[in-house]
Amino acid sequence: MARTTKPLTDTEIKLAKPKAKEYNLADGNGLYLRVKPNGTKFWLFNYSRPYTRKRANISLGEYPALPLVKARQKRQECLELLAQDIDPQTHRKDQKHLKVEALSNNFEAVTREWFEVKRTKISEQHAIDTLRSLELHIFPKIGPLPINALKAREVIAILKPISAKGSLETVKRLCQRLNEVMVYSVNTGLIDANPLAGISKAFEAPEKTHLPTLKPERLPELIQTIANASIKRTTRCLIEWQLHTMVRPGEAAGTSWDEIDLTKKLWTIPAERMKKKRQHIVPLSAQALQLLEIMKPISGHREHVFPSDRNPRSHISEQTANMALKRMGFGGQLVAH
């Protein structure tokens, strides 16, 4: 006949005195209270490992921080794992590893990993704007949270005040960037699914607005105004250079002499300076070549065609053309882009 173990009581546990050697008090079904010579008492669960059937102990916690009722709950959890052929010790190690991994894979850390990949596919200015928006609006609120703990309602709550201010374009871009981070997390195995997939639907869509520009018939007026404006020669040449080459402000401002082939009359913009990260070749008209002749005495000995006044080793700001157009009276009517 199988021997039956009488369950422990709180009184027995409290009255258990230390002895010269440590000893165990059994509660049944593998649960023991070990009493050490120094008076410390802690719970053990003794079991047979799945498959190998070797006996093993797992510590459940110290008494009285872990009372009898809680120790029995932990025993039940171990028994349920064993019923699924899961070793409680292995399970505990796996859970601890997951917690450590979750803490290291917090939202900000994962986002910065994603950003290092993202920045290789976009322009420098776009990269700066992307990270700055996340640092300003997102990191302070959810940056430390594990990537696998993010919930749509938490993120929506963060974006609602931005939407309430009418900054709908900012909300739209943040939703796009947040989703890119989560898709990156799925693709790298950090999470199983993207919980933020539909958050943009919680907000009003911004109205599409086109950048202001002049009608073709006003182009002579613009050219004449530029010619007579009280602006620096480098600024004037930059604006005209952009008009003749039809490139973005950043690409125009960053023009370097080694990108120019005067013999073939070509300007080759390297992929890393283009928004789409593809090399772009611009045929140079006679007017564009003339602008280079004007700039040669000014910057021919430097790296950039249009150098900065403050730091001639760098190029002129991409905002210079816009600022000049505003001063010439074209604010709200035309932008360099």
Side-chain angles (χ1 to χ4, degrees), residues 145-162:
L145 290 182
I147 196 76
N148 60 7
L150 288 187
K151 306 293 181 187
R153 61 178 178 272
E154 296 171 345
V155 177
I156 290 172
I158 293 170
L159 298 178
K160 275 187 175 180
I162 305 172

Side-chain angles (χ1 to χ4, degrees), residues 173-229:
R173 291 177 182 176
L174 285 171
C175 288
Q176 291 171 343
R177 290 160 187 172
L178 286 165
N179 269 278
E180 285 190 49
V181 174
M182 300 310 284
V183 169
Y184 169 83
S185 301
V186 172
N187 292 339
T188 52
L190 297 177
I191 55 176
D192 295 326
N194 175 12
L196 308 184
I199 60 171
S200 62
K201 305 299 181 185
F203 302 97
E204 183 181 349
E207 290 185 15
K208 291 184 178 180
T209 55
H210 298 288
L211 295 173
T213 189
L214 296 179
K215 293 183 177 180
E217 55 266 27
R218 292 191 62 191
L219 191 57
E221 175 194 345
L222 173 65
I223 298 298
Q224 186 176 4
T225 303
I226 293 171
N228 296 322

Side-chain angles (χ1 to χ4, degrees), residues 231 235-236 238-240 242 249 252-253 316-328 330 334-337:
I231 57 176
T235 303
R236 179 181 290 109
L238 171 65
I239 296 172
E240 292 186 14
Q242 196 174 344
I316 197 169
S317 168
E318 64 181 70
Q319 293 302 320
T320 299
N322 271 334
M323 292 164 63
L325 289 169
K326 286 181 181 178
R327 288 196 300 270
M328 287 186 279
F330 291 98
L334 175 67
V335 292
H337 194 78

Side-chain angles (χ1 to χ4, degrees), residues 3 16 24 28 34-35 43 54 96 113 189 194 212 228 272 332 336:
R3 184 179 175 184
N24 296 333
R34 178 160 292 179
V35 184
W43 296 102
K54 290 183 178 180
K96 187 178 289 186
E113 286 180 14
N194 175 12
N228 296 322
E272 60 267 22

Side-chain angles (χ1 to χ4, degrees), residues 70-261:
K70 295 291 185 182
R72 286 171 175 167
Q73 289 176 6
K74 285 183 173 286
R75 173 183 60 191
Q76 184 59 32
E77 291 170 7
C78 290
L79 290 170
E80 289 173 4
L81 289 171
L82 289 168
Q84 303 170 66
D85 290 327
I86 299 172
D87 190 317
Q89 286 191 26
T90 303
H91 179 74
R92 178 182 287 180
K93 289 177 183 177
D94 290 345
Q95 293 301 110
K96 187 178 289 186
H97 175 73
L98 288 173
K99 286 181 181 178
V100 172
E101 192 176 65
L103 289 173
S104 61
N105 289 330
N106 62 55
F107 180 78
E108 181 173 348
V110 174
T111 298
R112 292 189 184 278
E113 286 180 14
W114 160 80
F115 178 71
E116 291 306 313
V117 177
K118 176 73 173 178
R119 73 186 310 169
T120 63
K121 305 172 186 176
I122 56 179
S123 69
E124 182 67 18
Q125 188 57 49
H126 188 187
I128 292 171
D129 291 343
T130 296
L131 187 59
R132 186 181 294 150
S133 69
L134 293 166
E135 289 175 334
L136 178 63
H137 300 292
I138 305 300
F139 290 170
K141 301 291 179 65
I142 60 172
L145 290 182
I147 196 76
N148 60 7
L150 288 187
K151 306 293 181 187
R153 61 178 178 272
E154 296 171 345
V155 177
I156 290 172
I158 293 170
L159 298 178
K160 275 187 175 180
I162 305 172
S163 174
K165 290 191 298 185
S167 303
L168 299 180
E169 188 63 39
T170 299
V171 171
K172 176 186 173 183
R173 291 177 182 176
L174 285 171
C175 288
Q176 291 171 343
R177 290 160 187 172
L178 286 165
N179 269 278
E180 285 190 49
V181 174
M182 300 310 284
V183 169
Y184 169 83
S185 301
V186 172
N187 292 339
T188 52
L190 297 177
I191 55 176
D192 295 326
N194 175 12
L196 308 184
I199 60 171
S200 62
K201 305 299 181 185
F203 302 97
E204 183 181 349
E207 290 185 15
K208 291 184 178 180
T209 55
H210 298 288
L211 295 173
T213 189
L214 296 179
K215 293 183 177 180
E217 55 266 27
R218 292 191 62 191
L219 191 57
E221 175 194 345
L222 173 65
I223 298 298
Q224 186 176 4
T225 303
I226 293 171
N228 296 322
S230 178
I231 57 176
K232 294 177 181 178
R233 181 175 295 183
T234 300
T235 303
R236 179 181 290 109
C237 288
L238 171 65
I239 296 172
E240 292 186 14
W241 176 256
Q242 196 174 344
L243 282 169
H244 286 293
T245 57
M246 301 296 287
V247 297
R248 295 181 179 85
E251 294 153 9
T255 308
S256 62
W257 285 106
D258 63 7
E259 295 171 356
I260 306 293
D261 188 331

Side-chain angles (χ1 to χ4, degrees), residues 8 36 59 98 203 331:
L8 294 171
K36 298 182 74 69
S59 176
L98 288 173
F203 302 97

